[in-house]
């Protein structure tokens, strides 16, 4: 299919203006196809000219333009050429479309637990033409009228308020103008709960099999929803304009969520089947607030083209963190942003594919898709936090209100936003925006001191811009010193040069731990001095607040990932700090990130085995404590299930016996134990099938696929490989589950032959899956645990190969860079391991 070029989009927008869409969908035609009838009214500024319509149909019944038939055979590469346009035009398309299995277009999933089918629409980026004929670009917004025919027991909702007009027939209210990539319809035998707040009708929907869980968790979902609405109404000064507010938790969803106006879709793993872990509840609250922020940033005011992606995602990321922190009952939002989101963003920003926050070249729609990463989210949000410090919060809020009201229901650009901010603050933001928004990479910040005995004689903050990406970013941050678990001083710094003298530290006590960016206010890699690094080995747990510990952990982890910190120091610091940690966020993320990195290649195999045993021992000690908290119990039990070789304990947990109190009755924890047993070679595929006979849920089926792929036998790996690359027509989720089990760190000798096969066949993923899932699967299957020069050579050769989609090539480039980071670290700290 043709990929929309920016030049084509600009020419089409200059020629036509879309007046309205009328869409009629028939979802009662069976399991594979649905009917789609679309009528579009649009004007042409230059009558007599031509344009094109986007359509990706299984079959086309008829096309008419102003009453004249257009031959369906003339469709070329997903485009319908419309010639001899009138001043006012009407195009009518009747087509049969295919349901998707890759999460794009109208996705249809069947729940194996009860056999019920569910559909949801994902129009994002370039998938709308897989549902209806349209002029698919973000700046051709128009109102929609939609009708849906569906099985009589189905619930139907979409962008407009839905009314059942007859058995199986629904009419949706006319929407305000929206972009094509926000169009959605969700339909199926969903379980629903309803509420009302501030005149807004609220509904939450899940698969019928999760109805019990929804009833238990709906109060929390509704509370966050209501608190977020109140917060945004106060902050933005513009009321929510999209009618009813539906939140659908849908199966096999590619992204975390999608901000369709009035009808947000989330991945249904956010409805937890077992223990309500605090970090999961916080993550869900943040996602709810994030998608709601999009009702204004993205939906009300939409980017004109994809190079201004940050106007959507950076703002939603920043506003969600602010909403959760200021308006909800969920704690530790800032800590989660530091420990999780910024780690993700730093990895993207040091990858070869790094790009500016704003103004990234986006010559076509699919190129823009590759920039949906930690830069557009976490780094962009961090830049906005710096902007608030730079202009002041009152001016920032005033600028936001002006921007939203001035461009409501239209499109905007970076220049429009900066204009609103300059007007509100009275400051020229040209240089600030150039350095923060149009440059790539992260600065490195380090404090250099000269001492005179126990006091500081001289100190300066050194800022090192990233090699190859010169910048002159001003930073507002703090620097703090800690000794014996107490803060002995803290100073606020405005660093606008590569060297900033810190004269206020002269004469101060030399601390054991000197921590730049102690409150994590700016976006930068922190390089700790040697003494501070060594002190963190036993001093991380003594830092006085969880925010500071998060900042210190970030410095340790990112220092290791970039080769500046010995992985053994990170291992020792985690083992000393983790069992005493009280922050549920740090308990979860430090365990996950340290385990994933250290056991996933930063330690060589023998050191990795020893570290796994040490983690297992520490976690068991935590579990044995009489006063173990719920978060500590969850984190500890999860660590044991990932690292232990104790098959007896794992078998008990897999069968639901002697489960740690924090996870009693949690089916997902049972599957974690089953997967670990498979990895150890203690279960067979038949054993997995026996467990599946007791739990036929959708998540269990996916866990079962990962478990089978994890079995350390040649037959198991061949079976797994054939599932993904043998034409088995898996869904995006099923393929990801299988790929997640093939390359296990403890099975390097067994899986080494699959490295070459992966690089030879990874390009074929684009033939089966859409752009986003193909890229995600490329990352999921990358053999990063085989930390060997031969793997690196094979990866580099694959990148230079022909026929790769842009998304797959981008994923390969980034994953190869991450593998190179592992190899660089191993060569420095474990030279005999390669």
């Amino acid at each position: 299919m043709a990929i929309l070029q920016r030049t084509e989009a600009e020419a089409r927008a200059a020629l036509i203006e879309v007046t309205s869409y009328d869409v009629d969908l028939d979802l009662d035609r069976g399991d594979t196809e649905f009917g789609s009838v679309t009528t579009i009214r649009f004007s042409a500024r230059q009558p007599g000219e031509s344009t094109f319509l986007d359509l990706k149909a299984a079959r086309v019944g008829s096309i008419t333009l102003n009453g004249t038939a257009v031959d369906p055979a003339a469709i070329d590469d997903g485009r319908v050429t419309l010639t001899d346009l009138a001043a006012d035009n009407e195009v009518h398309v009747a087509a049969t479309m295919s349901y998707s299995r890759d999460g794009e277009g109208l996705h249809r999933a069947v729940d194996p637990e009860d056999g019920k089918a569910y559909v949801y629409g994902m129009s994002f980026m370039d998938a709308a033409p897989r549902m209806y004929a349209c002029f698919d670009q973000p700046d051709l917004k128009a109102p929609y009228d939609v009708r849906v025919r569906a099985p009589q027991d189905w619930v139907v909702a979409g962008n407009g308020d839905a009314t059942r007009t007859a058995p199986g027939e629904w009419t949706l209210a006319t929407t305000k103008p929206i972009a094509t990539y926000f169009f959605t319809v969700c339909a199926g035998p969903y379980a629903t709960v309803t509420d009302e707040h501030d005149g807004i009708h609220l509904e939450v929907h899940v698969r019928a099999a999760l109805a019990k869980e929804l009833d238990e968790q709906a109060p929390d979902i509704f509370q966050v929803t209501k608190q977020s609405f109140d917060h945004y109404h106060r902050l933005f000064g513009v009321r929510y304009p999209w009618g009813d507010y539906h939140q659908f938790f849908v199966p096999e969803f590619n992204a975390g969520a999608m901000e369709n106006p009035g009808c947000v879709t989330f991945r249904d793993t956010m409805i937890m089947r077992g223990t309500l872990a605090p970090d999961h509840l916080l993550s869900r609250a943040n996602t709810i607030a994030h998608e709601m922020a999009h009702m204004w940033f993205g939906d009300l005011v939409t980017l004109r083209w994809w190079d201004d992606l940050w106007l959507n995602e950076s703002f939603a990321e920043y506003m969600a963190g602010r909403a959760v922190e200021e308006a909800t009952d969920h704690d530790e939002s800032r800590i989660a942003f530091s420990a999780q989101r910024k780690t993700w963003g730093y990895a993207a920003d040091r990858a070869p594919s790094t790009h500016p926050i704003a103004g990234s070249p986006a010559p076509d729609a699919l190129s823009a898709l590759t920039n949906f990463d930690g830069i557009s989210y976490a780094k962009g949000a961090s830049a906005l936090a710096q902007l608030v410090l730079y202009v002041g919060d009152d001016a920032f809020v005033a600028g936001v209100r002006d921007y939203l009201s001035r461009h409501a229901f239209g499109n905007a650009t970076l220049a429009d936003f900066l204009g609103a901010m300059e007007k509100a603050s009275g400051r020229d933001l040209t240089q600030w925006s150039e350095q923060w928004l149009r440059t790539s990479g992260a600065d490195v910040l380090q404090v250099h001191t000269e001492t005179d005995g126990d006091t500081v004689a001289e100190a300066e903050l050194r800022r090192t811009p990233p090699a190859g990406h010169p910048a002159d970013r001003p930073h507002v941050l703090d620097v703090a010193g800690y000794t014996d678990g107490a803060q002995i001083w803290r100073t606020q710094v405005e660093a606008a040069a590569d060297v900033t003298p810190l004269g206020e530290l002269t004469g101060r006590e030399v601390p054991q731990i000197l921590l730049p960016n102690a409150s994590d206010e700016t976006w930068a890699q922190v390089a700790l001095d040697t003494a501070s690094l060594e002190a963190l080995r036993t001093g991380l747990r003594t830092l006085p607040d969880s925010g500071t510990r998060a900042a210190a952990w970030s410095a340790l982890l990112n220092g290791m990932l970039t080769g500046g910190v010995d992985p053994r120091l990170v291992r020792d610091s985690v083992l000393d700090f983790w069992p005493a940690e009280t922050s549920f966020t740090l308990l979860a993320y430090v365990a996950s990130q340290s385990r994933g990195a250290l056991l996933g290649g930063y330690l060589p195999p023998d050191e990795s085995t020893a570290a796994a045993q040490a983690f297992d021992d520490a976690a068991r000690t935590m579990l044995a404590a009489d006063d173990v908290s719920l978060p500590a119990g969850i984190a500890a039990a999860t660590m044991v299930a990932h690292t232990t070789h104790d098959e007896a304990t794992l078998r008990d947990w897999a069968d639901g016996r002697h489960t740690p109190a924090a996870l009693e009755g949690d089916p997902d924890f049972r599957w974690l134990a089953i997967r670990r047993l498979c990895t150890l070679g203690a279960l067979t595929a038949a054993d997995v099938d026996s467990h599946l006979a007791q739990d036929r849920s959708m998540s269990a089926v996916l866990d079962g696929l990962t478990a089978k792929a994890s079995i350390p036998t040649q037959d198991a790996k061949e079976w797994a490989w054939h599932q993904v690359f043998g034409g088995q027509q898996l869904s995006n989720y099923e393929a990801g589950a299988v790929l997640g089990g093939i390359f296990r760190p403890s099975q390097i000798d067994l899986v080494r032959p699959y490295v070459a096969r992966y690089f030879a066949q990874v390009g074929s993923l684009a033939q089966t899956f859409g752009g986003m899932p193909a890229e995600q699967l490329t990352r999921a299957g990358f053999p990063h645990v085989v930390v060997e020069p031969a793997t690196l050579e094979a990866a580099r050769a694959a990148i230079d190969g022909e026929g790769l989609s842009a998304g797959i090539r981008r994923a390969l480039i980034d994953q190869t860079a991450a593998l190179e980071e592992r190899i660089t670290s191993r060569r420095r700290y474990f030279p005999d391991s390669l």
Side-chain angles (χ1 to χ4, degrees), residues 123-382:
S123 295
F124 176 68
M125 191 59 78
D126 67 339
R130 295 171 65 174
M131 286 190 281
Y132 66 105
C134 58
F135 297 108
D136 191 24
Q137 60 189 72
D139 58 344
L140 290 177
K141 300 171 74 171
Y144 282 73
D145 285 286
V146 178
R147 289 167 304 283
V148 179
R149 183 171 183 269
Q152 294 185 22
D153 62 335
W154 281 21
V155 171
V156 173
N159 304 112
D161 298 350
T163 302
R164 190 195 303 262
T165 56
E169 296 182 7
W170 299 73
T171 296
L172 278 59
T174 305
T175 71
K176 297 287 200 304
I178 64 174
T180 51
Y181 78 93
F182 291 135
F183 176 86
T184 194
V185 165
C186 297
Y190 286 95
T192 300
V193 293
T194 64
D195 206 337
E196 194 88 14
H197 181 68
D198 194 18
I200 304 169
H201 180 70
L202 309 175
E203 294 194 10
V204 179
H205 313 264
V206 298
R207 288 180 286 121
L210 291 172
K212 175 177 176 293
E213 288 79 1
L214 177 61
D215 286 342
E216 295 169 349
Q217 297 170 49
D220 177 70
I221 293 171
F222 279 134
Q223 183 178 27
V224 172
T225 300
K226 295 172 184 179
Q227 291 168 332
S228 298
F229 266 128
D230 290 344
H231 175 78
Y232 291 141
H233 284 156
R234 288 192 302 267
L235 190 66
F236 300 153
V238 178
R239 279 190 59 81
Y240 167 75
W242 304 108
D244 295 348
Y245 195 66
H246 294 265
Q247 296 178 94
F248 275 84
F249 292 83
V250 300
E252 300 181 343
F253 196 65
N254 283 334
M258 180 62 197
E259 64 271 18
N260 314 300
C263 191
V264 179
T265 44
F266 302 81
R267 60 172 59 197
D268 64 3
T269 52
M270 292 184 188
I271 302 297
M272 289 151 268
R273 296 200 304 153
T275 303
L276 301 182
D279 58 304
H280 292 170
L281 290 171
L282 172 61
S283 177
R284 184 173 69 192
N286 189 81
T287 305
I288 290 171
H290 179 109
E291 301 311 316
M292 188 183 293
H294 275 307
M295 297 299 116
W296 289 266
F297 286 96
D299 297 5
L300 180 66
V301 181
T302 306
L303 48 77
R304 184 167 297 162
W305 183 248
W306 301 109
D307 55 347
D308 275 325
L309 170 66
W310 86 294
L311 290 173
N312 288 13
E313 299 306 341
S314 300
F315 282 84
E317 182 91 353
Y318 170 78
M319 293 298 178
R322 185 165 176 162
V324 172
E325 180 181 13
E326 297 177 5
T328 78
D329 300 329
H330 291 274
D331 297 325
E332 304 196 7
S333 175
R334 285 175 60 89
I335 301 170
F337 184 72
S338 295
Q340 182 196 30
R341 302 294 282 182
K342 291 184 78 170
T343 297
W344 169 48
Y346 285 137
D349 211 14
R350 65 176 182 267
S353 59
T354 184
H355 56 86
I357 295 170
S360 300
D364 59 72
L366 289 188
S367 296
L369 178 63
T370 62
N371 289 337
F372 277 78
D373 56 18
I375 296 170
S376 296
Y377 287 75
K379 184 180 181 181
S382 297

Side-chain angles (χ1 to χ4, degrees), residues 352-630:
S353 59
T354 184
H355 56 86
I357 295 170
S360 300
D364 59 72
L366 289 188
S367 296
L369 178 63
T370 62
N371 289 337
F372 277 78
D373 56 18
I375 296 170
S376 296
Y377 287 75
K379 184 180 181 181
S382 297
L384 286 174
Q386 283 286 296
L387 179 60
V388 172
L389 293 173
Y390 190 71
V391 303
D393 193 59
D394 289 346
F396 177 77
V397 172
V400 163
R401 289 184 169 203
D402 181 42
Y403 169 78
L404 291 174
S405 61
R406 186 181 300 271
H407 301 286
F409 302 111
N411 299 85
T413 65
L414 168 63
D416 295 322
F417 174 76
L418 292 176
M421 281 292 142
E422 290 180 336
K423 176 183 175 183
S425 68
R427 302 192 68 166
D428 184 348
L429 296 176
T430 303
Q431 184 174 358
W432 185 93
S433 63
E434 188 66 29
Q435 298 303 332
W436 266 106
L437 303 180
R438 296 188 181 278
T439 59
S440 302
D443 295 335
V444 176
L445 299 179
Q446 183 174 29
V447 174
H448 176 76
T449 60
E450 298 290 341
T451 61
D452 183 6
D454 294 333
T455 61
V456 177
E458 188 176 336
E460 61 186 24
L461 178 69
R462 296 177 178 176
R463 181 192 66 182
T464 305
H469 299 285
D472 186 20
R473 301 182 191 90
H475 294 269
V476 180
L477 69 152
D478 56 359
V479 178
Y482 303 89
T483 295
D484 294 332
Q487 177 182 300
I488 59 174
W489 48 259
R490 180 184 294 258
T491 184
Q492 193 79 7
V493 182
E494 292 189 15
D498 288 344
V499 177
T500 301
L502 302 177
E504 64 271 32
L505 299 187
T506 301
R508 297 285 186 92
E509 178 184 341
V510 176
Q512 293 170 348
I513 299 171
L514 196 162
L515 186 60
N517 201 25
S519 296
D520 202 20
E521 293 176 317
T522 194
W523 180 267
Q525 300 273 10
V526 169
L528 298 174
D529 60 71
T530 303
S532 295
L533 277 174
E534 189 56 38
L536 282 174
R537 190 186 296 268
T538 56
L540 181 56
R541 61 181 167 82
T542 71
L543 293 174
D545 64 88
S546 54
T548 303
R549 295 194 297 276
W553 164 248
S554 177
L556 268 181
L557 176 67
N558 287 296
M560 180 186 74
L561 297 179
T562 55
V565 176
D566 190 328
R568 289 164 292 197
L569 188 149
V570 174
R571 174 201 62 200
D572 294 346
S573 299
V574 170
L575 288 169
D576 180 78
F577 138 83
W578 186 57
E581 181 53 54
T582 56
S583 162
F584 65 80
T585 300
L586 291 180
L587 277 164
Y589 291 134
V590 169
S592 174
Q593 292 169 350
S594 60
R595 182 180 65 242
L598 291 169
L599 308 187
Y602 275 87
L603 291 174
D606 55 340
E607 293 270 1
S608 177
T609 300
Q613 182 63 58
F615 285 146
D616 183 20
D617 292 342
R620 286 176 181 271
T621 299
M622 292 170 63
L623 282 175
D626 293 334
D627 60 346
V628 60
S629 66
L630 174 69

Side-chain angles (χ1 to χ4, degrees), residues 6-92:
R6 178 173 186 161
T7 52
E8 294 175 316
E10 290 173 340
R12 186 160 62 175
L15 176 63
I16 70 170
E17 181 175 349
V18 183
T19 306
S20 67
Y21 281 93
D22 186 281
V23 180
D24 199 321
L25 300 178
D26 184 354
L27 310 184
D28 200 16
R29 291 191 180 182
D31 299 346
T32 60
E33 296 179 334
F34 62 97
S36 175
V37 178
T38 307
T39 300
I40 312 171
R41 294 176 178 85
F42 66 100
S43 61
R45 297 181 179 89
Q46 299 177 37
E49 293 293 318
S50 300
T51 190
F52 61 92
L53 187 69
D54 300 295
L55 178 62
K56 302 173 183 177
R59 295 184 303 282
V60 177
S62 64
I63 304 172
T64 61
L65 174 63
N66 299 328
T68 300
V70 177
D71 186 357
I75 297 175
D76 182 26
D77 218 11
R79 293 180 174 181
V80 181
T81 300
L82 304 177
T83 61
D84 194 22
L85 298 178
D88 295 299
N89 302 273
E90 180 177 294
V91 61
H92 182 86

